[in-house]
Amino acid sequence: MLCLSSTIFTFLALLAFAKGENCESPQFKITSYSTKDARLTAESAAQVEITVKCKNGKQPSTLYADINGQVVPCAQSAGSPGKYYLGVSAATHKQLAKGRTSVKLYDDDTYSTLRKTRTDDAAKAVKPFGEVDFYHPGASFGPWLPSEFIAVIGFGLVWWAAYRERSKILA
Amino acid sequence: MSNQRSIPRDDDLLLQDFSRNVTNKAWALFFGNAAIVSAIPLWLFWRIHQMEITSYFIHFIIGTAISTYFLNSAYQNMKFILKHKIAQKREEAINREITKLFANDKNANKKDKDDRILARKNEVADFEATTFSIFYNNAFYLVCLIVLSFFVFKNFSPTVNYLFSVGLSTAMVFLFSTGEK
């Protein structure tokens, strides 16, 4: 009897401990930087910093991100707990989609559940740990004409008008 | 004695008309404009060519001072050349204006009317020549500066770019200010 009750007690304690290990009610904050200049670069890349704040103060040991159908682990920094980093690269500027891109996040439990699924439908049915959006404004080639060219044309026209007026006066 | 020393008013006006000297007011106007226009490129070189003011302030001071001096001289030169031409062109209109003014004044004599015409002609020509000289020289200076700084000396070091762009622009403005064509 004592043995049974101690087993049940140990099991319940372990269950409570395990539940306490997980992040509860996570809140996410995103900071991102992506390639903006297409004239001087051939490829596009984006760096996303995800800050996770949990209600119970626990942080997921590993965070996985589903970006464009690929699930990759996020990097972490020893000096910044709660911050996870995701890098995205694309061979051409067009491949990194402009605008908002949705990224599903998985912690250890949800990731292991995802890995156990066998079909796409089942994978889609797995509830992620969280979902964030990062915004890429797009890479620009800049203005068609360089600004100094426009400045020279503008000032040149003003000078030309002044020169014609001066010629009329001195005639 | 006092009659020999006092200069009649119309001679005074003629001397002023043909003199290369400018009044204090005109000199202050020229100097102020020259200083501002010479200082404008500093912003370009600081923000676009990345020349920090703390590191290059000596170059900037020397360049601005030389540019101010020669721009000032260019303004004066061009004003002197333009003034006479403008006076000739405006003569008819000023005659009409003064004649209309004196039409109802029966006490006025011809000498007073001529004096008035001369003074008015001098005033109009002076003002128009001053403002046009500033406008033309500024436009020419800035075009030269932008072409030299962003196209000719684009690949040179910032110091060389600044000194040659400002120096050559100033030299060209000064040189062409003495031309009569």
Side-chain angles (χ1 to χ4, degrees), chain A residues 148-149 151-152 155-159 161-171, chain B residues 78 81-82 85-86 89 132 135-136 139-140 142-143 146 150-151 176 179-181:
Chain A
E148 60 265 26
F149 182 75
V152 160
F155 279 104
L157 286 171
V158 171
W159 170 75
Y163 178 76
R164 282 183 59 179
E165 204 53 45
R166 178 175 166 264
S167 302
K168 277 188 210 165
I169 292 171
L170 293 176
Chain B
M78 185 165 284
I81 291 165
L82 288 175
K85 296 284 183 178
I86 289 171
K89 289 193 183 305
F132 191 82
F135 171 57
Y136 180 84
F140 190 42
L142 291 172
V143 165
I146 291 176
F150 289 98
F151 293 96
F176 285 97
E180 292 196 21
K181 292 235 164 106

Side-chain angles (χ1 to χ4, degrees), chain B residues 46-63:
Chain B
W46 171 40
R47 298 309 298 267
I48 295 174
H49 293 290
Q50 303 285 309
M51 289 176 77
E52 285 299 324
I53 291 178
T54 47
S55 309
Y56 292 97
F57 69 93
I58 292 176
H59 305 78
F60 288 157
I61 289 170
I62 293 171

Side-chain angles (χ1 to χ4, degrees), chain B residues 13-107:
Chain B
L13 280 168
L14 277 170
L15 273 171
Q16 193 184 338
D17 193 24
F18 287 97
S19 168
R20 217 178 173 99
N21 295 331
V22 292
T23 59
N24 286 340
K25 188 179 162 191
W27 188 89
L29 187 65
F30 283 156
F31 185 80
N33 267 284
I36 290 169
V37 172
S38 300
I40 286 170
L42 296 184
W43 181 82
L44 269 177
F45 284 94
W46 171 40
R47 298 309 298 267
I48 295 174
H49 293 290
Q50 303 285 309
M51 289 176 77
E52 285 299 324
I53 291 178
T54 47
S55 309
Y56 292 97
F57 69 93
I58 292 176
H59 305 78
F60 288 157
I61 289 170
I62 293 171
T64 306
I66 292 172
S67 177
T68 303
Y69 176 77
F70 283 104
L71 262 180
N72 194 8
S73 304
Y75 290 152
Q76 292 180 28
N77 290 342
M78 185 165 284
K79 180 198 164 177
F80 178 73
I81 291 165
L82 288 175
K83 190 172 166 181
H84 303 290
K85 296 284 183 178
I86 289 171
Q88 288 169 11
K89 289 193 183 305
R90 303 282 177 256
E91 192 169 358
E92 201 183 313
I94 290 169
N95 277 344
R96 272 203 305 270
E97 182 193 335
I98 302 297
T99 306
K100 205 190 271 184
L101 210 62
F102 276 72
N104 297 327
D105 190 355
K106 299 212 189 311
N107 294 330

Side-chain angles (χ1 to χ4, degrees), chain A residues 75-122:
Chain A
Q76 294 180 62
S77 168
S80 308
K83 286 191 197 284
Y84 303 84
Y85 303 92
L86 173 67
V88 183
S89 68
T92 63
H93 296 301
K94 283 201 170 95
Q95 282 180 10
L96 188 63
K98 190 177 161 181
R100 297 212 170 269
T101 303
S102 180
V103 178
K104 287 183 188 167
L105 299 172
Y106 299 94
D107 65 350
D108 289 320
D109 289 341
T110 47
Y111 181 63
S112 64
T113 311
L114 181 72
R115 286 199 62 180
K116 285 174 193 164
T117 58
R118 293 185 183 277
T119 61
D120 285 341
D121 291 336

